[in-house]
Amino acid sequence: MPRTKKQFEEIREQTKTKILNVALELFAKKGYSNTTISEIAKSANISKGLAYNYFESKEQLMEEVIKILFVEIENMFIALEGEKDPFEKLSRIIDLTFEWVTEREDFWRLYTNLLMQVETKVIVDKVAGNFMDSMFTEMEKMFRKMKIKNPVEEAKIFGAILDGMSFHILFLGNEYPITQMRNFLKSKYSKENLV
Amino acid sequence: MPRTKKQFEEIREQTKTKILNVALELFAKKGYSNTTISEIAKSANISKGLAYNYFESKEQLMEEVIKILFVEIENMFIALEGEKDPFEKLSRIIDLTFEWVTEREDFWRLYTNLLMQVETKVIVDKVAGNFMDSMFTEMEKMFRKMKIKNPVEEAKIFGAILDGMSFHILFLGNEYPITQMRNFLKSKYSKENLV
Amino acid sequence: MPRTKKQFEEIREQTKTKILNVALELFAKKGYSNTTISEIAKSANISKGLAYNYFESKEQLMEEVIKILFVEIENMFIALEGEKDPFEKLSRIIDLTFEWVTEREDFWRLYTNLLMQVETKVIVDKVAGNFMDSMFTEMEKMFRKMKIKNPVEEAKIFGAILDGMSFHILFLGNEYPITQMRNFLKSKYSKENLV
Amino acid sequence: MPRTKKQFEEIREQTKTKILNVALELFAKKGYSNTTISEIAKSANISKGLAYNYFESKEQLMEEVIKILFVEIENMFIALEGEKDPFEKLSRIIDLTFEWVTEREDFWRLYTNLLMQVETKVIVDKVAGNFMDSMFTEMEKMFRKMKIKNPVEEAKIFGAILDGMSFHILFLGNEYPITQMRNFLKSKYSKENLV
DNA sequence: TATGAATGAGAGTTCATTCAT
DNA sequence: CATGAATGAACTCTCATTCAT
């Protein structure tokens, strides 16, 4: 018996997800330019031609990958929304950042690459808008709740520390004292030390 | 009458410098893979072939660009060696970083790109070795002189702030409150606030 | 509906054979270095890029051409294996050599080129190994069967005559008295004259 | 004091000879296509530009190299003209061939390459004419003097043996029993065995 | 006479994209 | 829906040749 429309759609959805996952992984590992459509197709167990059935071009595939990337980042923050205690929230942000940067290294590498290159930055802007602004605002709110002086500036400093450390970890790998710094940072931004 | 050896050397010096400057700019703006030798040649007003008279390959050109980058970074630190007061030194490091990141944006963009991209990381390792370690060590010494607690960790935090902020400035451009943050950071790391 | 696997295989087989034939002809006529992939593609009525769908590199294409060459040479010898009478066999080797050198001139030209050119010798060694040794050994056996004195040396002399004559024919073309020499050689190496 | 016209001409002659020798060596060792004018100039301790002062083009340089090649071959034969005894002459031809092919391997390799490739063959024809014909004629005379039957054919067989063996020696190098075959050939073509 | 910087055409190679089946 | 053969533009790199000095 022929498949129903719904079944077809499910298959389509599955294939598309497969391609996106594979593309994300490869773009992150090897960079956008050094990843070929052939490789992606092979890794996804489909033909080159079929990839073009799902995505107009390599660039559009990249766009969709970036979208996923930012959705995941957004989800990370949504997961924190329940947390009302700003000190606890800060602590969890630190944890999450360290977890992500170690467990999803490629992911972060792709993210950082994207932001730095003028050409891909356009794509990022298109799909992610001013996400960095909202991050700063989010953190500012936290610091304000904590009654810290200069919450605007402290939020930016805090953001810089997280991104800067991610940087250093990605660059130095195991040579970086990850656990030690994580604990140090959490202590530095703990209730006892901040207030 | 043929040109003298000195004349030839001057020509080579000039052309080589021109190529290197253009390459630095383009590599920084577009990334290594997305920059072609053709573009570099066109920007430098020379023929494609001539570029290969000066550099064995695209990779070797990149290497020389990176070398220059790190020599300049080194010079920045050498300029600070005379400064014996650690608080003053810290303040000047902050100033220098902000000046560089605004005045020599390409430079920093390239530097950041390099640290993140897998493909160029190999080249960086080859020409720059463990420069980041020595930076951390240098900063650690400063914090030790200041009798700050946990100098190792504070050095890493400070480095993260500088790199993280540079990152944000490069990404956000004029939207980032550069002067404001510069002053805030200098105040935060001033003698009065640290001791 | 996509083509079946078999259909694809047929297409690949056909195109590959076409490329190989053209490459054989051009490599033979102009030498390896003086033949470009563009020329081969044009002669085969395909795009330059397609050639690389079938062969990894120019060198690998050459390797496959050489392989074919040696397979055909081997087949020539296999065809003779049924022949038990050494005198008859010798006669047929002479005939075959003359036929090949006239009917498959490109083939022989390539073969001769290969043996002489330093650049291709490496490739030949890779795919053909010590084929010349086995040829000498084969001929030596024949002469031994004929109870000729010094079979080792005579085999080498005989081999030299065949290769030397092929060389002369290729060089002089129709100016060389091919039929006459063929008959003369067959008579010289006939049972009546040898024993 | 300024150099005289004659001195200038001598210098010119020396430089030209130097270039030709170097070119011969390199063309022979690496093949025509794989030898660059730069290499030749560097090996001759002159500038690239100066080479073009002496030779119009790479091809013309090649032509002159070939000329020298054939002059040397001719000299080899002229050296034999004094020898009136055909048996002795034959023996010396064998010796000379073996000596050349071992001592001037590159030389012979170039010569063989030239004859095989359709494009360079044109150059050879231009400078050397039908030298092979005259060789055959020369040998034929010898065999006629010896009162050998079928001197025309035997001359061709003999020529084929020499060229074929040169071939095998160039291809197999030290694996070929050079001395053994040289003695065998000389014995085979000695007065005792021929008459 | 002599230099080597500079050119430009063309080599080998890669790959996003198209399309007949 | 699915295939992979085929294209063509663009890439890195090479080198014979020219030319200002």
Side-chain angles (χ1 to χ4, degrees):
Chain A
M1 68 211 101
R3 269 174 270 209
T4 65
K5 215 178 193 175
K6 203 180 162 188
Q7 279 175 311
F8 269 126
E9 268 167 26
E10 267 170 28
I11 291 174
R12 245 196 108 71
E13 198 53 40
Q14 275 172 26
T15 309
K16 191 167 182 177
T17 306
K18 184 76 186 288
I19 297 173
L20 282 167
N21 284 337
V22 163
L24 168 59
E25 189 191 323
L26 290 175
F27 285 154
K29 205 190 307 184
K30 316 179 49 176
Y32 176 73
S33 295
N34 300 318
T35 305
T36 69
I37 295 287
S38 283
E39 279 175 303
I40 294 170
K42 191 172 282 177
S43 290
N45 287 320
I46 58 160
S47 71
K48 234 187 313 183
L50 191 56
Y52 280 86
N53 196 314
Y54 289 90
F55 303 93
E56 274 179 13
S57 65
K58 191 184 173 186
E59 191 171 328
Q60 201 234 317
L61 171 56
M62 181 58 152
E63 277 179 32
E64 300 232 18
V65 164
I66 296 174
K67 261 182 211 156
I68 292 183
L69 183 68
F70 281 97
V71 166
E72 295 233 23
I73 293 175
E74 213 180 352
N75 286 342
M76 191 176 102
F77 279 90
I78 289 170
L80 290 171
E81 268 172 13
E83 186 58 66
K84 294 303 172 198
D85 176 16
F87 294 99
E88 189 54 33
K89 199 168 179 175
L90 208 60
S91 170
R92 285 191 56 199
I93 288 177
I94 294 171
D95 280 338
L96 275 170
T97 304
F98 274 86
E99 275 160 28
W100 268 53
V101 87
T102 48
E103 284 163 29
R104 309 208 57 176
E105 181 187 324
D106 291 342
F107 212 95
W108 274 108
R109 210 175 277 280
L110 177 60
Y111 158 77
T112 331
N113 275 347
L114 289 175
L115 302 195
M116 275 297 104
Q117 293 192 29
V118 177
E119 284 173 6
T120 43
K121 193 174 176 303
V122 179
I123 307 181
V124 174
D125 285 349
K126 199 158 87 189
V127 305
N130 50 356
F131 81 101
M132 206 177 257
D133 270 350
S134 28
M135 271 182 159
F136 283 147
T137 313
E138 194 65 34
M139 286 175 180
E140 189 196 320
K141 275 190 218 154
M142 267 169 21
F143 282 101
R144 212 176 287 277
K145 256 196 189 167
M146 296 169 177
K147 315 253 189 241
I148 301 284
K149 268 189 293 186
N150 308 306
V152 177
E153 289 81 7
E154 288 293 354
K156 286 199 171 51
I157 297 275
F158 183 68
I161 290 176
L162 291 186
D163 282 342
M165 274 192 171
S166 301
F167 238 55
H168 295 156
I169 292 169
L170 290 184
F171 185 62
L172 292 173
N174 285 329
E175 292 174 46
Y176 195 88
I178 299 178
T179 317
Q180 188 181 337
M181 288 309 297
R182 177 180 181 166
N183 292 332
F184 184 75
L185 198 61
K186 284 174 75 175
S187 149
K188 195 178 173 79
Y189 279 92
S190 66
K191 196 165 190 170
E192 302 84 65
N193 286 317
L194 276 180
V195 187
Chain B
M1 258 152 293
R3 267 177 270 225
T4 63
K5 224 172 199 171
K6 206 180 161 188
Q7 281 175 310
F8 277 128
E9 266 168 29
E10 269 168 26
I11 292 174
R12 274 195 87 79
E13 184 60 31
Q14 275 174 29
T15 309
K16 190 169 184 176
T17 305
K18 195 164 57 177
I19 297 173
L20 281 169
N21 285 337
V22 166
L24 168 61
E25 190 191 323
L26 291 175
F27 284 151
K29 203 187 309 180
K30 318 180 48 173
Y32 176 72
S33 289
N34 300 317
T35 306
T36 70
I37 294 288
S38 282
E39 280 175 304
I40 294 171
K42 193 172 279 176
S43 291
N45 287 319
I46 58 162
S47 68
K48 217 178 3 170
L50 190 59
Y52 284 89
N53 189 317
Y54 289 88
F55 303 94
E56 276 180 9
S57 64
K58 190 184 171 186
E59 185 170 334
Q60 203 231 316
L61 170 56
M62 182 56 151
E63 276 179 31
E64 298 231 18
V65 165
I66 296 175
K67 259 182 212 154
I68 291 180
L69 179 68
F70 282 97
V71 166
E72 296 248 13
I73 292 176
E74 213 180 352
N75 286 341
M76 192 176 101
F77 279 89
I78 287 170
L80 291 170
E81 267 172 15
E83 185 58 68
K84 294 303 171 197
D85 178 16
F87 295 98
E88 188 55 31
K89 200 167 180 176
L90 209 59
S91 169
R92 288 190 56 197
I93 287 176
I94 294 170
D95 280 338
L96 275 171
T97 304
F98 275 86
E99 275 162 29
W100 267 51
V101 87
T102 48
E103 285 164 30
R104 310 210 56 175
E105 184 186 323
D106 288 346
F107 236 90
W108 273 106
R109 203 175 281 280
L110 178 61
Y111 163 77
T112 332
N113 270 347
L114 288 177
L115 304 196
M116 281 304 106
Q117 294 190 35
V118 181
E119 49 179 347
T120 44
K121 194 171 179 308
V122 181
I123 308 182
V124 174
D125 286 348
K126 198 156 89 189
V127 304
N130 50 357
F131 82 100
M132 204 178 258
D133 272 350
S134 25
M135 273 181 158
F136 283 147
T137 312
E138 196 64 35
M139 288 176 178
E140 186 195 322
K141 275 189 215 153
M142 267 169 21
F143 282 100
R144 213 177 285 278
K145 257 196 188 167
M146 296 169 175
K147 315 252 188 238
I148 302 282
K149 266 190 294 185
N150 307 309
V152 176
E153 289 79 8
E154 289 292 354
K156 287 198 169 52
I157 296 276
F158 183 68
I161 291 176
L162 292 185
D163 283 342
M165 275 195 169
S166 301
F167 182 69
H168 294 154
I169 292 170
L170 289 183
F171 184 62
L172 293 172
N174 286 329
E175 295 174 45
Y176 196 88
I178 299 180
T179 317
Q180 187 180 336
M181 287 308 296
R182 177 181 180 164
N183 291 332
F184 183 76
L185 199 61
K186 283 175 77 174
S187 149
K188 194 178 173 80
Y189 278 93
S190 66
K191 196 164 189 172
E192 301 83 64
N193 286 316
L194 276 179
V195 187
Chain C
M1 259 152 290
R3 267 176 271 223
T4 62
K5 224 172 198 171
K6 205 180 160 190
Q7 279 174 310
F8 276 129
E9 267 168 28
E10 269 167 27
I11 292 174
R12 274 196 88 78
E13 184 60 30
Q14 274 173 31
T15 310
K16 191 166 184 179
T17 305
K18 194 164 58 176
I19 297 173
L20 281 168
N21 285 338
V22 166
L24 168 62
E25 188 190 325
L26 290 175
F27 284 151
K29 203 189 307 180
K30 317 180 48 171
Y32 177 71
S33 290
N34 299 317
T35 305
T36 71
I37 295 287
S38 283
E39 281 175 303
I40 293 171
K42 193 172 281 176
S43 291
N45 287 318
I46 60 163
S47 68
K48 216 173 11 162
L50 190 58
Y52 284 89
N53 190 317
Y54 289 88
F55 303 94
E56 277 181 8
S57 64
K58 190 184 172 186
E59 185 169 333
Q60 204 230 316
L61 170 56
M62 183 56 152
E63 276 179 30
E64 298 232 19
V65 166
I66 295 175
K67 259 182 212 153
I68 291 180
L69 178 68
F70 282 98
V71 166
E72 296 248 12
I73 292 176
E74 214 180 351
N75 287 341
M76 191 175 102
F77 279 89
I78 288 171
L80 291 171
E81 268 172 13
E83 186 57 67
K84 294 302 170 198
D85 176 17
F87 294 99
E88 187 55 31
K89 200 168 180 175
L90 208 61
S91 170
R92 287 189 56 196
I93 287 176
I94 295 170
D95 280 337
L96 275 171
T97 304
F98 274 87
E99 274 160 30
W100 267 50
V101 88
T102 47
E103 284 163 30
R104 311 211 56 174
E105 183 185 324
D106 288 346
F107 236 90
W108 273 107
R109 202 176 281 280
L110 178 61
Y111 163 77
T112 332
N113 271 346
L114 289 176
L115 303 196
M116 281 304 106
Q117 294 190 35
V118 180
E119 50 179 346
T120 44
K121 194 172 179 306
V122 181
I123 308 180
V124 174
D125 285 348
K126 200 157 88 189
V127 304
N130 50 357
F131 81 100
M132 205 178 257
D133 272 350
S134 25
M135 274 182 158
F136 283 146
T137 312
E138 195 64 35
M139 288 177 178
E140 187 195 323
K141 274 190 217 153
M142 267 170 22
F143 282 101
R144 214 178 283 279
K145 256 197 190 167
M146 296 171 177
K147 313 251 189 241
I148 301 284
K149 266 190 293 185
N150 306 308
V152 176
E153 289 79 8
E154 289 292 353
K156 288 197 169 53
I157 296 275
F158 184 68
I161 291 175
L162 291 185
D163 282 342
M165 274 195 170
S166 300
F167 182 70
H168 294 155
I169 292 169
L170 290 183
F171 184 62
L172 293 172
N174 286 330
E175 294 174 46
Y176 195 88
I178 299 179
T179 317
Q180 187 181 336
M181 287 309 296
R182 177 180 181 166
N183 292 333
F184 183 75
L185 198 61
K186 283 174 76 174
S187 148
K188 196 178 171 77
Y189 278 92
S190 65
K191 196 164 190 173
E192 301 84 64
N193 285 316
L194 275 180
V195 187
Chain D
M1 68 210 102
R3 271 175 269 210
T4 64
K5 213 177 196 178
K6 204 181 162 187
Q7 278 175 313
F8 268 126
E9 268 167 27
E10 266 170 29
I11 291 174
R12 247 195 107 72
E13 197 53 38
Q14 275 172 29
T15 309
K16 190 166 183 180
T17 306
K18 185 74 185 287
I19 297 172
L20 283 167
N21 284 337
V22 163
L24 168 60
E25 189 190 323
L26 290 175
F27 285 154
K29 204 189 306 185
K30 316 180 48 176
Y32 177 74
S33 295
N34 299 318
T35 305
T36 69
I37 294 289
S38 283
E39 280 175 303
I40 293 170
K42 191 173 281 174
S43 291
N45 287 318
I46 59 161
S47 71
K48 235 188 310 184
L50 192 56
Y52 281 86
N53 196 316
Y54 289 90
F55 303 94
E56 274 180 11
S57 66
K58 192 183 173 188
E59 193 172 326
Q60 202 233 318
L61 171 56
M62 181 58 153
E63 278 180 30
E64 301 233 18
V65 164
I66 295 174
K67 261 181 211 156
I68 292 183
L69 183 70
F70 282 95
V71 167
E72 295 231 23
I73 292 176
E74 212 179 352
N75 287 342
M76 191 176 101
F77 280 89
I78 288 171
L80 290 171
E81 268 173 13
E83 185 59 65
K84 295 302 170 198
D85 176 15
F87 294 100
E88 187 55 30
K89 200 168 180 176
L90 207 61
S91 170
R92 286 189 56 198
I93 287 176
I94 295 172
D95 280 338
L96 275 171
T97 304
F98 275 87
E99 275 160 28
W100 268 53
V101 88
T102 48
E103 283 163 28
R104 310 208 58 175
E105 180 186 324
D106 291 341
F107 211 98
W108 275 108
R109 209 176 277 280
L110 177 60
Y111 158 79
T112 330
N113 275 347
L114 289 174
L115 303 196
M116 275 298 102
Q117 294 192 28
V118 176
E119 284 172 8
T120 42
K121 191 174 177 303
V122 178
I123 308 181
V124 174
D125 285 349
K126 200 158 86 188
V127 305
N130 50 354
F131 81 101
M132 206 179 258
D133 270 351
S134 27
M135 272 182 158
F136 283 147
T137 312
E138 194 66 33
M139 287 174 178
E140 188 196 321
K141 273 189 218 156
M142 266 169 24
F143 282 101
R144 212 176 285 279
K145 256 196 191 167
M146 295 170 177
K147 316 254 187 235
I148 301 284
K149 269 189 291 185
N150 308 307
V152 176
E153 290 78 8
E154 289 292 354
K156 287 198 168 51
I157 297 276
F158 183 68
I161 291 176
L162 291 186
D163 282 342
M165 274 193 170
S166 300
F167 239 53
H168 296 157
I169 292 170
L170 289 184
F171 185 63
L172 292 173
N174 286 329
E175 292 173 46
Y176 196 88
I178 299 179
T179 317
Q180 189 181 336
M181 288 308 297
R182 177 181 181 165
N183 291 333
F184 184 76
L185 198 63
K186 283 174 75 174
S187 149
K188 195 178 172 77
Y189 278 92
S190 66
K191 196 165 191 172
E192 301 84 64
N193 285 317
L194 276 180
V195 188

